[in-house]
Amino acid sequence: MARLSAEEQEIQLISLVTVLPKSGAARRSRLLYLFLVAGVMVAGLLWRSRFLHLPPFLTKYGGDAWWALLVFFGFGFLFSRISTLRLSIISICFAWAIEFSQLYHAPWIDSIRGMRLGLLILGSTFNWPDLPAYVCGIALGAWFEIVSMRMKPARGGFIP
């Protein structure tokens, strides 16, 4: 096994941490991410449904993690060329902004939250333990991307 130079080791470390797409051709498969969004949406709704008899802790915070994973894959669909690190940061900022927006209660936004879709997207009540649950869901998405990229042959493609 060949020994890597210090510069090659640094490049490997940087790519491991940031997971940068190759310039130009590298990007996420939008079709795959569309299916991931749909699958995670179904799984998240099922997770919170009465069909699965999970402990309350898992139902609540697992559902939040599923929601954050949906956000991650949704932004991955929209921004097909950004790094996994940037995608993760954008997703966490969005999820946390939605959570902190729950501290704001005005008639117009509460009327949106009063509808089923508005409640699923915006939530209703700020709960600080939701924040680490969002990080867990987004970390799962980042792990999926990193593992998928490492398994994919280097043919100029990026993630699955």
Side-chain angles (χ1 to χ4, degrees):
M1 189 167 186
R3 185 164 170 86
L4 297 175
S5 69
E7 183 178 326
E8 291 171 325
Q9 287 176 346
E10 184 178 338
I11 290 170
Q12 256 189 349
L13 180 63
I14 288 171
S15 70
L16 178 66
V17 172
T18 59
V19 190
L20 297 172
K22 296 174 182 153
S23 62
R27 58 190 218 129
R28 292 170 184 85
S29 166
R30 286 210 161 129
L31 182 61
L32 172 66
Y33 274 66
L34 185 63
F35 283 117
L36 288 170
V37 165
V40 167
M41 189 180 307
V42 169
L45 290 171
L46 181 63
W47 189 271
R48 285 275 182 105
S49 75
R50 60 189 162 107
F51 299 113
L52 294 180
H53 300 289
L54 299 170
F57 179 84
L58 280 180
T59 300
K60 167 73 174 111
Y61 298 111
D64 291 338
W66 280 109
W67 182 86
L69 184 60
L70 175 72
V71 167
F72 179 86
F73 287 144
F75 280 128
F77 174 84
L78 292 175
F79 306 114
S80 64
R81 294 185 181 267
I82 65 173
S83 71
T84 301
L85 179 62
R86 285 186 180 172
L87 177 58
S88 299
I89 291 169
I90 290 169
S91 300
I92 288 172
C93 289
F94 179 83
W96 283 22
I98 293 294
E99 186 66 27
F100 281 107
S101 77
Q102 294 169 9
L103 293 170
Y104 176 72
H105 291 280
W108 69 271
I109 198 163
D110 285 341
S111 69
I112 295 171
R113 290 179 180 136
M115 294 181 279
R116 178 92 169 136
L117 185 60
L119 182 63
L120 288 171
I121 295 170
L122 299 176
S124 61
T125 307
F126 177 81
N127 187 24
W128 76 265
D130 290 350
L131 302 176
Y134 298 151
V135 172
C136 290
I138 292 165
L140 182 64
W143 175 82
F144 169 80
E145 281 202 352
I146 291 167
V147 168
S148 297
M149 185 189 337
R150 301 258 185 261
M151 291 172 42
K152 186 146 183 143
R155 283 187 246 150
F158 184 44
I159 307 172

